[in-house]
Structures are given as C-alpha cells and as structure tokens.
Amino acid sequence: MAYPSQLGFQNAASPIMEELLHFHDHALMVAVLISSLVLYTLITTISTKLTHTTTTDAQMVEMVWTVLPALTLIMIALPSLRILYLMDEITTPHLTIKAIGHQWYWSYEYTDYKTLLFDSYMTPATDLLPGHYRLLDVDNRIVLPMNSPIRTLVTAEDVLHSWAVPPLGVKTDAVPGRLNQTTFMTLTPGVYYGQCSEICGANHSFMPIVIESVPLKHFENWSTSLTI
C-alpha cells in the first residue's frame, strides 16, 4: 500500500514486481550515467579546445558515439526481454479466476469452483469500516492462496477496462469479446489494492480491485463456506 509523500513504487508483493523494480533501478542508473556524460561533454566542449575541427571530425570520436549508444541499448534490452518472457511464461496454475469488467464494477468467477462467483463494488464512504480505505475498498474481495501460481482471465462486457494491481506487477486490458491472460503469485499474506487503469467512462476511477492473500488453509475454509 502506498503511503503519504511516497516517491517510489509500492513494495513488491510478487516475484514479477521484484524483477520490475530491479529493472527500473537498472534503467534509471543507465539514464543518470548517460545524462551525466552528455552534460560533461557539453560543458567540456564549450570551455575547451574540443571544438577544434580535427577533434570533432575525428573518426575515433564518431566510432565512440556510435558504439556506446548501441551497447547501452543492449544493456537495457536484455533485462527487459528477460522480464517480458517471465511475465508471459505459462505455468501450471493452482487456481484460475476470471475478471469481467462492467460499467463500473468488476465480476469474478473462480473457474475451478462452479458456484463461486460474485460482483465486487466499491464500498461507499458511509459504509467504510475502521482501517478501510476510501475509494479503494470493495464489498467483496478476491481471496487467493499465497505462494500459489494464479492465472487470471480478463475480459469486459461493455467497454474497454484495465485490471491493474501495482504491488503484483499486473496490468491487463479488459476487451469486450476477448480473453486476455496474466499470471502472478503473491509472496506474503496481505491486502493489495488496484484500480481500473482505462478511461472507461465517468466512473472509471471508482472500479477498485482488492486482493486478499491468505494461507492455503484459510482459503480452503473461505471457499468451502461459499460453495456449500
């Protein structure tokens, strides 16, 4: 969960989000080094004799400013492609849920449990309980077992939506007539918040997503109580 005056990302709650945070720090460091080198070169060029024709037209200089950017792009591209393939890796999921976007709420179906389905609406401010968050909490949370690969099938019934949970590194478009898939796994028990990240209408900002990660035993008790 984000906290007041926070500048960085939320704490990672999944392996993919941990990888994304590492890649962000890596790319940011590369950008800082490039900016520093370019600034140093500009200052040096203005204040010294580097503007001499024999220096600025030198073949070695041209080779350096061609090869260096290429190596830099490789340094950024390789980790990025690795994470991309990790995110698309199809593992054997322990559980599959289907998220359906509506104007303006989400519906969920646990496909492994025929009778386990419900709508999830934002909790009105007048019904909030102590410790709940305004505009972020819902009446029915998604309860999932921790340390279990979860497959989520995302679609929409009316217009474009986007199922996004930042702590898990998940953001998948919900397109009418199409099933998009994403996988994730929560590392620790807790409650993780997200929102619709697509401008899907007047109330698009009132489509919160709440995932409650619990131990497997608690999940089995919860699912049994709803399916009986």
Side-chain angles (χ1 to χ4, degrees):
M1 186 64 191
Y3 52 85
S5 303
Q6 180 176 347
L7 297 178
F9 292 98
Q10 298 182 37
N11 294 332
S14 69
I16 290 298
M17 190 58 187
E18 287 184 346
E19 294 288 340
L20 290 173
L21 290 179
H22 290 316
F23 175 69
H24 168 266
D25 296 339
H26 168 74
L28 185 62
M29 183 57 65
V30 172
V32 169
L33 292 176
I34 292 175
S35 301
S36 301
L37 179 60
V38 171
L39 180 62
Y40 171 77
T41 304
L42 288 174
I43 295 175
T44 306
T45 302
I46 294 172
S47 60
T48 66
K49 297 181 180 180
L50 282 179
T51 53
H52 194 275
T53 305
T54 57
T55 303
T56 55
D57 293 341
Q59 185 177 1
M60 183 59 68
V61 175
E62 294 182 4
M63 289 180 60
V64 169
W65 69 41
T66 301
V67 173
L68 263 181
L71 294 177
T72 302
L73 289 176
I74 293 174
M75 289 175 58
I76 296 176
L78 291 181
S80 175
L81 290 174
R82 174 179 172 273
I83 297 176
L84 184 63
Y85 280 109
L86 285 176
M87 296 176 69
D88 287 340
E89 184 71 19
I90 304 300
T91 59
T92 303
H94 293 177
L95 183 67
T96 300
I97 64 172
K98 184 178 180 181
I100 306 171
H102 307 269
Q103 288 184 316
W104 287 275
Y105 64 96
W106 294 96
S107 295
Y108 298 101
E109 301 176 5
Y110 287 68
T111 59
D112 303 281
Y113 303 84
K114 294 183 179 180
T115 60
L116 189 50
L117 48 95
F118 52 84
D119 296 331
S120 182
Y121 290 88
M122 184 189 73
T123 304
T126 54
D127 297 336
L128 287 175
L129 299 175
H132 285 190
Y133 295 97
R134 177 178 172 270
L135 303 183
L136 284 178
D137 260 296
V138 296
D139 54 357
N140 292 310
R141 295 177 173 179
I142 312 167
V143 180
L144 299 175
M146 57 180 287
N147 294 326
S148 298
I150 306 297
R151 175 173 58 189
T152 305
L153 304 176
V154 184
T155 186
E157 188 179 68
D158 35 44
V159 298
L160 293 175
H161 299 280
S162 184
W163 199 79
V165 186
L168 303 179
V170 175
K171 185 176 185 293
T172 306
D173 288 338
V175 183
R178 176 177 176 178
L179 279 178
N180 288 329
Q181 176 177 290
T182 185
T183 58
F184 61 89
M185 180 175 65
T186 58
L187 297 175
T188 57
V191 181
Y192 308 109
Y193 296 88
Q195 289 177 300
C196 176
S197 297
E198 188 72 48
I199 302 178
C200 58
N203 294 324
H204 102 94
S205 57
F206 303 111
M207 292 180 62
I209 302 161
V210 183
I211 294 179
E212 186 172 347
S213 175
V214 298
L216 180 59
K217 182 179 180 180
H218 293 167
F219 172 78
E220 291 176 343
N221 293 336
W222 174 82
S223 59
T224 302
S225 65
L226 293 182
T227 53
I228 292 179

PDB file of all heavy atoms in Angstrom, residues 89-117:
ATOM      1  N   GLU A  89       5.410 -16.344 -19.311  1.00  0.00           N
ATOM      2  CA  GLU A  89       5.611 -17.767 -19.081  1.00  0.00           C
ATOM      3  C   GLU A  89       4.312 -18.408 -18.581  1.00  0.00           C
ATOM      4  O   GLU A  89       3.705 -17.949 -17.613  1.00  0.00           O
ATOM      5  CB  GLU A  89       6.716 -17.973 -18.052  1.00  0.00           C
ATOM      6  CG  GLU A  89       7.070 -19.424 -17.818  1.00  0.00           C
ATOM      7  CD  GLU A  89       7.792 -20.071 -18.980  1.00  0.00           C
ATOM      8  OE1 GLU A  89       8.346 -19.331 -19.815  1.00  0.00           O
ATOM      9  OE2 GLU A  89       7.793 -21.297 -19.065  1.00  0.00           O
ATOM     10  N   ILE A  90       3.899 -19.457 -19.242  1.00  0.00           N
ATOM     11  CA  ILE A  90       2.675 -20.162 -18.866  1.00  0.00           C
ATOM     12  C   ILE A  90       3.040 -21.295 -17.905  1.00  0.00           C
ATOM     13  O   ILE A  90       3.621 -22.303 -18.305  1.00  0.00           O
ATOM     14  CB  ILE A  90       1.945 -20.723 -20.097  1.00  0.00           C
ATOM     15  CG1 ILE A  90       1.640 -19.601 -21.092  1.00  0.00           C
ATOM     16  CG2 ILE A  90       0.663 -21.424 -19.663  1.00  0.00           C
ATOM     17  CD1 ILE A  90       0.765 -18.507 -20.539  1.00  0.00           C
ATOM     18  N   THR A  91       2.747 -21.122 -16.662  1.00  0.00           N
ATOM     19  CA  THR A  91       2.985 -22.168 -15.676  1.00  0.00           C
ATOM     20  C   THR A  91       1.687 -22.937 -15.427  1.00  0.00           C
ATOM     21  O   THR A  91       0.620 -22.554 -15.891  1.00  0.00           O
ATOM     22  CB  THR A  91       3.488 -21.564 -14.355  1.00  0.00           C
ATOM     23  OG1 THR A  91       2.507 -20.641 -13.869  1.00  0.00           O
ATOM     24  CG2 THR A  91       4.802 -20.826 -14.567  1.00  0.00           C
ATOM     25  N   THR A  92       1.798 -24.014 -14.715  1.00  0.00           N
ATOM     26  CA  THR A  92       0.599 -24.769 -14.340  1.00  0.00           C
ATOM     27  C   THR A  92      -0.055 -24.080 -13.157  1.00  0.00           C
ATOM     28  O   THR A  92       0.443 -24.143 -12.035  1.00  0.00           O
ATOM     29  CB  THR A  92       0.962 -26.210 -13.974  1.00  0.00           C
ATOM     30  OG1 THR A  92       1.645 -26.821 -15.068  1.00  0.00           O
ATOM     31  CG2 THR A  92      -0.302 -26.996 -13.638  1.00  0.00           C
ATOM     32  N   PRO A  93      -1.170 -23.364 -13.384  1.00  0.00           N
ATOM     33  CA  PRO A  93      -1.764 -22.585 -12.286  1.00  0.00           C
ATOM     34  C   PRO A  93      -2.454 -23.481 -11.273  1.00  0.00           C
ATOM     35  O   PRO A  93      -3.036 -24.509 -11.620  1.00  0.00           O
ATOM     36  CB  PRO A  93      -2.766 -21.680 -13.003  1.00  0.00           C
ATOM     37  CG  PRO A  93      -3.155 -22.454 -14.225  1.00  0.00           C
ATOM     38  CD  PRO A  93      -1.940 -23.234 -14.632  1.00  0.00           C
ATOM     39  N   HIS A  94      -2.382 -23.080 -10.024  1.00  0.00           N
ATOM     40  CA  HIS A  94      -3.119 -23.772  -8.976  1.00  0.00           C
ATOM     41  C   HIS A  94      -4.577 -23.335  -8.940  1.00  0.00           C
ATOM     42  O   HIS A  94      -5.435 -24.055  -8.428  1.00  0.00           O
ATOM     43  CB  HIS A  94      -2.475 -23.511  -7.608  1.00  0.00           C
ATOM     44  CG  HIS A  94      -1.118 -24.113  -7.471  1.00  0.00           C
ATOM     45  ND1 HIS A  94      -0.329 -23.946  -6.351  1.00  0.00           N
ATOM     46  CD2 HIS A  94      -0.390 -24.887  -8.314  1.00  0.00           C
ATOM     47  CE1 HIS A  94       0.821 -24.589  -6.522  1.00  0.00           C
ATOM     48  NE2 HIS A  94       0.803 -25.160  -7.706  1.00  0.00           N
ATOM     49  N   LEU A  95      -4.815 -22.140  -9.491  1.00  0.00           N
ATOM     50  CA  LEU A  95      -6.177 -21.592  -9.448  1.00  0.00           C
ATOM     51  C   LEU A  95      -6.352 -20.636 -10.613  1.00  0.00           C
ATOM     52  O   LEU A  95      -5.411 -19.917 -10.986  1.00  0.00           O
ATOM     53  CB  LEU A  95      -6.396 -20.849  -8.116  1.00  0.00           C
ATOM     54  CG  LEU A  95      -7.792 -20.273  -7.855  1.00  0.00           C
ATOM     55  CD1 LEU A  95      -8.799 -21.407  -7.681  1.00  0.00           C
ATOM     56  CD2 LEU A  95      -7.769 -19.397  -6.604  1.00  0.00           C
ATOM     57  N   THR A  96      -7.527 -20.631 -11.191  1.00  0.00           N
ATOM     58  CA  THR A  96      -7.851 -19.729 -12.295  1.00  0.00           C
ATOM     59  C   THR A  96      -9.078 -18.912 -11.921  1.00  0.00           C
ATOM     60  O   THR A  96     -10.095 -19.470 -11.496  1.00  0.00           O
ATOM     61  CB  THR A  96      -8.126 -20.501 -13.593  1.00  0.00           C
ATOM     62  OG1 THR A  96      -6.972 -21.253 -13.958  1.00  0.00           O
ATOM     63  CG2 THR A  96      -8.475 -19.547 -14.726  1.00  0.00           C
ATOM     64  N   ILE A  97      -8.960 -17.601 -12.065  1.00  0.00           N
ATOM     65  CA  ILE A  97     -10.117 -16.731 -11.854  1.00  0.00           C
ATOM     66  C   ILE A  97     -10.369 -15.923 -13.121  1.00  0.00           C
ATOM     67  O   ILE A  97      -9.441 -15.675 -13.907  1.00  0.00           O
ATOM     68  CB  ILE A  97      -9.927 -15.788 -10.646  1.00  0.00           C
ATOM     69  CG1 ILE A  97      -8.758 -14.824 -10.897  1.00  0.00           C
ATOM     70  CG2 ILE A  97      -9.721 -16.559  -9.367  1.00  0.00           C
ATOM     71  CD1 ILE A  97      -8.635 -13.752  -9.830  1.00  0.00           C
ATOM     72  N   LYS A  98     -11.605 -15.548 -13.312  1.00  0.00           N
ATOM     73  CA  LYS A  98     -11.991 -14.742 -14.467  1.00  0.00           C
ATOM     74  C   LYS A  98     -12.514 -13.408 -13.970  1.00  0.00           C
ATOM     75  O   LYS A  98     -13.435 -13.360 -13.143  1.00  0.00           O
ATOM     76  CB  LYS A  98     -13.059 -15.468 -15.286  1.00  0.00           C
ATOM     77  CG  LYS A  98     -13.458 -14.744 -16.568  1.00  0.00           C
ATOM     78  CD  LYS A  98     -14.476 -15.561 -17.345  1.00  0.00           C
ATOM     79  CE  LYS A  98     -14.878 -14.860 -18.634  1.00  0.00           C
ATOM     80  NZ  LYS A  98     -15.903 -15.646 -19.396  1.00  0.00           N
ATOM     81  N   ALA A  99     -11.893 -12.325 -14.447  1.00  0.00           N
ATOM     82  CA  ALA A  99     -12.289 -10.972 -14.066  1.00  0.00           C
ATOM     83  C   ALA A  99     -13.019 -10.324 -15.240  1.00  0.00           C
ATOM     84  O   ALA A  99     -12.476 -10.251 -16.345  1.00  0.00           O
ATOM     85  CB  ALA A  99     -11.074 -10.142 -13.676  1.00  0.00           C
ATOM     86  N   ILE A 100     -14.242  -9.882 -14.989  1.00  0.00           N
ATOM     87  CA  ILE A 100     -15.073  -9.289 -16.030  1.00  0.00           C
ATOM     88  C   ILE A 100     -15.360  -7.839 -15.655  1.00  0.00           C
ATOM     89  O   ILE A 100     -15.897  -7.562 -14.580  1.00  0.00           O
ATOM     90  CB  ILE A 100     -16.393 -10.066 -16.192  1.00  0.00           C
ATOM     91  CG1 ILE A 100     -16.109 -11.553 -16.415  1.00  0.00           C
ATOM     92  CG2 ILE A 100     -17.217  -9.494 -17.339  1.00  0.00           C
ATOM     93  CD1 ILE A 100     -17.351 -12.409 -16.366  1.00  0.00           C
ATOM     94  N   GLY A 101     -15.000  -6.921 -16.531  1.00  0.00           N
ATOM     95  CA  GLY A 101     -15.213  -5.503 -16.279  1.00  0.00           C
ATOM     96  C   GLY A 101     -16.578  -5.039 -16.747  1.00  0.00           C
ATOM     97  O   GLY A 101     -17.037  -5.399 -17.838  1.00  0.00           O
ATOM     98  N   HIS A 102     -17.250  -4.260 -15.897  1.00  0.00           N
ATOM     99  CA  HIS A 102     -18.546  -3.657 -16.226  1.00  0.00           C
ATOM    100  C   HIS A 102     -18.448  -2.159 -15.939  1.00  0.00           C
ATOM    101  O   HIS A 102     -17.520  -1.685 -15.295  1.00  0.00           O
ATOM    102  CB  HIS A 102     -19.676  -4.257 -15.368  1.00  0.00           C
ATOM    103  CG  HIS A 102     -19.750  -5.752 -15.409  1.00  0.00           C
ATOM    104  ND1 HIS A 102     -20.512  -6.450 -16.315  1.00  0.00           N
ATOM    105  CD2 HIS A 102     -19.154  -6.689 -14.622  1.00  0.00           C
ATOM    106  CE1 HIS A 102     -20.388  -7.750 -16.101  1.00  0.00           C
ATOM    107  NE2 HIS A 102     -19.569  -7.926 -15.071  1.00  0.00           N
ATOM    108  N   GLN A 103     -19.432  -1.418 -16.395  1.00  0.00           N
ATOM    109  CA  GLN A 103     -19.534  -0.007 -16.012  1.00  0.00           C
ATOM    110  C   GLN A 103     -20.425   0.082 -14.761  1.00  0.00           C
ATOM    111  O   GLN A 103     -21.641  -0.022 -14.868  1.00  0.00           O
ATOM    112  CB  GLN A 103     -20.145   0.806 -17.150  1.00  0.00           C
ATOM    113  CG  GLN A 103     -19.201   0.995 -18.321  1.00  0.00           C
ATOM    114  CD  GLN A 103     -19.815   1.880 -19.394  1.00  0.00           C
ATOM    115  OE1 GLN A 103     -20.981   1.752 -19.757  1.00  0.00           O
ATOM    116  NE2 GLN A 103     -19.040   2.791 -19.922  1.00  0.00           N
ATOM    117  N   TRP A 104     -19.878   0.307 -13.549  1.00  0.00           N
ATOM    118  CA  TRP A 104     -18.474   0.443 -13.235  1.00  0.00           C
ATOM    119  C   TRP A 104     -18.196  -0.404 -12.021  1.00  0.00           C
ATOM    120  O   TRP A 104     -18.187   0.082 -10.895  1.00  0.00           O
ATOM    121  CB  TRP A 104     -18.142   1.915 -13.010  1.00  0.00           C
ATOM    122  CG  TRP A 104     -18.117   2.715 -14.265  1.00  0.00           C
ATOM    123  CD1 TRP A 104     -17.054   2.844 -15.114  1.00  0.00           C
ATOM    124  CD2 TRP A 104     -19.155   3.489 -14.847  1.00  0.00           C
ATOM    125  NE1 TRP A 104     -17.363   3.654 -16.180  1.00  0.00           N
ATOM    126  CE2 TRP A 104     -18.674   4.055 -16.041  1.00  0.00           C
ATOM    127  CE3 TRP A 104     -20.492   3.736 -14.488  1.00  0.00           C
ATOM    128  CZ2 TRP A 104     -19.446   4.858 -16.867  1.00  0.00           C
ATOM    129  CZ3 TRP A 104     -21.269   4.530 -15.309  1.00  0.00           C
ATOM    130  CH2 TRP A 104     -20.744   5.081 -16.482  1.00  0.00           C
ATOM    131  N   TYR A 105     -17.958  -1.678 -12.254  1.00  0.00           N
ATOM    132  CA  TYR A 105     -17.627  -2.629 -11.195  1.00  0.00           C
ATOM    133  C   TYR A 105     -17.007  -3.854 -11.858  1.00  0.00           C
ATOM    134  O   TYR A 105     -16.993  -3.994 -13.093  1.00  0.00           O
ATOM    135  CB  TYR A 105     -18.875  -3.012 -10.385  1.00  0.00           C
ATOM    136  CG  TYR A 105     -19.938  -3.738 -11.172  1.00  0.00           C
ATOM    137  CD1 TYR A 105     -20.012  -5.136 -11.153  1.00  0.00           C
ATOM    138  CD2 TYR A 105     -20.863  -3.050 -11.949  1.00  0.00           C
ATOM    139  CE1 TYR A 105     -20.976  -5.818 -11.880  1.00  0.00           C
ATOM    140  CE2 TYR A 105     -21.826  -3.716 -12.673  1.00  0.00           C
ATOM    141  CZ  TYR A 105     -21.879  -5.094 -12.644  1.00  0.00           C
ATOM    142  OH  TYR A 105     -22.835  -5.755 -13.376  1.00  0.00           O
ATOM    143  N   TRP A 106     -16.495  -4.750 -11.034  1.00  0.00           N
ATOM    144  CA  TRP A 106     -15.887  -5.987 -11.530  1.00  0.00           C
ATOM    145  C   TRP A 106     -16.701  -7.193 -11.078  1.00  0.00           C
ATOM    146  O   TRP A 106     -17.271  -7.199  -9.990  1.00  0.00           O
ATOM    147  CB  TRP A 106     -14.450  -6.139 -11.012  1.00  0.00           C
ATOM    148  CG  TRP A 106     -13.501  -5.117 -11.523  1.00  0.00           C
ATOM    149  CD1 TRP A 106     -13.123  -3.962 -10.894  1.00  0.00           C
ATOM    150  CD2 TRP A 106     -12.808  -5.139 -12.774  1.00  0.00           C
ATOM    151  NE1 TRP A 106     -12.230  -3.268 -11.678  1.00  0.00           N
ATOM    152  CE2 TRP A 106     -12.016  -3.959 -12.836  1.00  0.00           C
ATOM    153  CE3 TRP A 106     -12.767  -6.036 -13.835  1.00  0.00           C
ATOM    154  CZ2 TRP A 106     -11.200  -3.669 -13.917  1.00  0.00           C
ATOM    155  CZ3 TRP A 106     -11.953  -5.738 -14.925  1.00  0.00           C
ATOM    156  CH2 TRP A 106     -11.182  -4.571 -14.960  1.00  0.00           C
ATOM    157  N   SER A 107     -16.746  -8.211 -11.920  1.00  0.00           N
ATOM    158  CA  SER A 107     -17.313  -9.507 -11.555  1.00  0.00           C
ATOM    159  C   SER A 107     -16.201 -10.548 -11.599  1.00  0.00           C
ATOM    160  O   SER A 107     -15.319 -10.477 -12.461  1.00  0.00           O
ATOM    161  CB  SER A 107     -18.432  -9.916 -12.517  1.00  0.00           C
ATOM    162  OG  SER A 107     -19.516  -9.027 -12.424  1.00  0.00           O
ATOM    163  N   TYR A 108     -16.270 -11.507 -10.682  1.00  0.00           N
ATOM    164  CA  TYR A 108     -15.227 -12.526 -10.605  1.00  0.00           C
ATOM    165  C   TYR A 108     -15.846 -13.913 -10.595  1.00  0.00           C
ATOM    166  O   TYR A 108     -16.864 -14.147  -9.945  1.00  0.00           O
ATOM    167  CB  TYR A 108     -14.369 -12.321  -9.353  1.00  0.00           C
ATOM    168  CG  TYR A 108     -13.634 -10.999  -9.352  1.00  0.00           C
ATOM    169  CD1 TYR A 108     -14.109  -9.927  -8.600  1.00  0.00           C
ATOM    170  CD2 TYR A 108     -12.488 -10.810 -10.124  1.00  0.00           C
ATOM    171  CE1 TYR A 108     -13.449  -8.706  -8.607  1.00  0.00           C
ATOM    172  CE2 TYR A 108     -11.834  -9.596 -10.135  1.00  0.00           C
ATOM    173  CZ  TYR A 108     -12.311  -8.544  -9.383  1.00  0.00           C
ATOM    174  OH  TYR A 108     -11.660  -7.342  -9.396  1.00  0.00           O
ATOM    175  N   GLU A 109     -15.193 -14.809 -11.305  1.00  0.00           N
ATOM    176  CA  GLU A 109     -15.603 -16.210 -11.335  1.00  0.00           C
ATOM    177  C   GLU A 109     -14.374 -17.075 -11.035  1.00  0.00           C
ATOM    178  O   GLU A 109     -13.342 -16.938 -11.696  1.00  0.00           O
ATOM    179  CB  GLU A 109     -16.176 -16.590 -12.704  1.00  0.00           C
ATOM    180  CG  GLU A 109     -17.391 -15.787 -13.135  1.00  0.00           C
ATOM    181  CD  GLU A 109     -17.856 -16.155 -14.536  1.00  0.00           C
ATOM    182  OE1 GLU A 109     -17.269 -17.109 -15.118  1.00  0.00           O
ATOM    183  OE2 GLU A 109     -18.761 -15.478 -15.051  1.00  0.00           O
ATOM    184  N   TYR A 110     -14.502 -17.944 -10.045  1.00  0.00           N
ATOM    185  CA  TYR A 110     -13.460 -18.929  -9.775  1.00  0.00           C
ATOM    186  C   TYR A 110     -13.794 -20.153 -10.626  1.00  0.00           C
ATOM    187  O   TYR A 110     -14.693 -20.925 -10.290  1.00  0.00           O
ATOM    188  CB  TYR A 110     -13.436 -19.282  -8.295  1.00  0.00           C
ATOM    189  CG  TYR A 110     -12.875 -18.191  -7.403  1.00  0.00           C
ATOM    190  CD1 TYR A 110     -13.559 -16.987  -7.220  1.00  0.00           C
ATOM    191  CD2 TYR A 110     -11.662 -18.358  -6.741  1.00  0.00           C
ATOM    192  CE1 TYR A 110     -13.052 -15.980  -6.414  1.00  0.00           C
ATOM    193  CE2 TYR A 110     -11.142 -17.361  -5.922  1.00  0.00           C
ATOM    194  CZ  TYR A 110     -11.847 -16.177  -5.763  1.00  0.00           C
ATOM    195  OH  TYR A 110     -11.343 -15.182  -4.952  1.00  0.00           O
ATOM    196  N   THR A 111     -13.098 -20.304 -11.742  1.00  0.00           N
ATOM    197  CA  THR A 111     -13.487 -21.315 -12.722  1.00  0.00           C
ATOM    198  C   THR A 111     -13.338 -22.740 -12.196  1.00  0.00           C
ATOM    199  O   THR A 111     -13.947 -23.664 -12.743  1.00  0.00           O
ATOM    200  CB  THR A 111     -12.661 -21.160 -14.004  1.00  0.00           C
ATOM    201  OG1 THR A 111     -11.263 -21.292 -13.691  1.00  0.00           O
ATOM    202  CG2 THR A 111     -12.908 -19.785 -14.627  1.00  0.00           C
ATOM    203  N   ASP A 112     -12.514 -22.927 -11.149  1.00  0.00           N
ATOM    204  CA  ASP A 112     -12.371 -24.266 -10.563  1.00  0.00           C
ATOM    205  C   ASP A 112     -13.514 -24.603  -9.618  1.00  0.00           C
ATOM    206  O   ASP A 112     -13.649 -25.745  -9.184  1.00  0.00           O
ATOM    207  CB  ASP A 112     -11.042 -24.364  -9.809  1.00  0.00           C
ATOM    208  CG  ASP A 112      -9.857 -24.059 -10.716  1.00  0.00           C
ATOM    209  OD1 ASP A 112      -9.475 -24.952 -11.486  1.00  0.00           O
ATOM    210  OD2 ASP A 112      -9.326 -22.932 -10.660  1.00  0.00           O
ATOM    211  N   TYR A 113     -14.322 -23.591  -9.268  1.00  0.00           N
ATOM    212  CA  TYR A 113     -15.489 -23.778  -8.393  1.00  0.00           C
ATOM    213  C   TYR A 113     -16.701 -23.265  -9.153  1.00  0.00           C
ATOM    214  O   TYR A 113     -16.838 -22.064  -9.382  1.00  0.00           O
ATOM    215  CB  TYR A 113     -15.334 -23.009  -7.080  1.00  0.00           C
ATOM    216  CG  TYR A 113     -14.099 -23.362  -6.291  1.00  0.00           C
ATOM    217  CD1 TYR A 113     -12.877 -22.756  -6.571  1.00  0.00           C
ATOM    218  CD2 TYR A 113     -14.151 -24.282  -5.251  1.00  0.00           C
ATOM    219  CE1 TYR A 113     -11.736 -23.072  -5.846  1.00  0.00           C
ATOM    220  CE2 TYR A 113     -13.014 -24.600  -4.527  1.00  0.00           C
ATOM    221  CZ  TYR A 113     -11.812 -23.989  -4.832  1.00  0.00           C
ATOM    222  OH  TYR A 113     -10.696 -24.306  -4.110  1.00  0.00           O
ATOM    223  N   LYS A 114     -17.590 -24.148  -9.534  1.00  0.00           N
ATOM    224  CA  LYS A 114     -18.687 -23.779 -10.421  1.00  0.00           C
ATOM    225  C   LYS A 114     -19.616 -22.729  -9.817  1.00  0.00           C
ATOM    226  O   LYS A 114     -20.208 -21.924 -10.532  1.00  0.00           O
ATOM    227  CB  LYS A 114     -19.486 -25.027 -10.793  1.00  0.00           C
ATOM    228  CG  LYS A 114     -18.700 -26.018 -11.634  1.00  0.00           C
ATOM    229  CD  LYS A 114     -19.551 -27.213 -12.038  1.00  0.00           C
ATOM    230  CE  LYS A 114     -18.760 -28.187 -12.894  1.00  0.00           C
ATOM    231  NZ  LYS A 114     -19.567 -29.361 -13.287  1.00  0.00           N
ATOM    232  N   THR A 115     -19.765 -22.737  -8.491  1.00  0.00           N
ATOM    233  CA  THR A 115     -20.722 -21.833  -7.859  1.00  0.00           C
ATOM    234  C   THR A 115     -20.063 -20.633  -7.185  1.00  0.00           C
ATOM    235  O   THR A 115     -20.750 -19.854  -6.536  1.00  0.00           O
ATOM    236  CB  THR A 115     -21.559 -22.598  -6.815  1.00  0.00           C
ATOM    237  OG1 THR A 115     -20.689 -23.138  -5.815  1.00  0.00           O
ATOM    238  CG2 THR A 115     -22.338 -23.720  -7.474  1.00  0.00           C
ATOM    239  N   LEU A 116     -18.768 -20.489  -7.340  1.00  0.00           N
ATOM    240  CA  LEU A 116     -18.055 -19.408  -6.659  1.00  0.00           C
ATOM    241  C   LEU A 116     -17.885 -18.231  -7.615  1.00  0.00           C
ATOM    242  O   LEU A 116     -16.929 -18.155  -8.387  1.00  0.00           O
ATOM    243  CB  LEU A 116     -16.704 -19.898  -6.146  1.00  0.00           C
ATOM    244  CG  LEU A 116     -15.924 -18.943  -5.228  1.00  0.00           C
ATOM    245  CD1 LEU A 116     -16.801 -18.426  -4.098  1.00  0.00           C
ATOM    246  CD2 LEU A 116     -14.692 -19.630  -4.670  1.00  0.00           C
ATOM    247  N   LEU A 117     -18.828 -17.321  -7.592  1.00  0.00           N
ATOM    248  CA  LEU A 117     -18.780 -16.117  -8.423  1.00  0.00           C
ATOM    249  C   LEU A 117     -19.522 -15.002  -7.696  1.00  0.00           C
ATOM    250  O   LEU A 117     -20.467 -15.235  -6.960  1.00  0.00           O
ATOM    251  CB  LEU A 117     -19.381 -16.368  -9.804  1.00  0.00           C
ATOM    252  CG  LEU A 117     -20.734 -17.072  -9.889  1.00  0.00           C
ATOM    253  CD1 LEU A 117     -21.860 -16.062  -9.975  1.00  0.00           C
ATOM    254  CD2 LEU A 117     -20.759 -18.001 -11.092  1.00  0.00           C
TER     255      LEU A 117
END
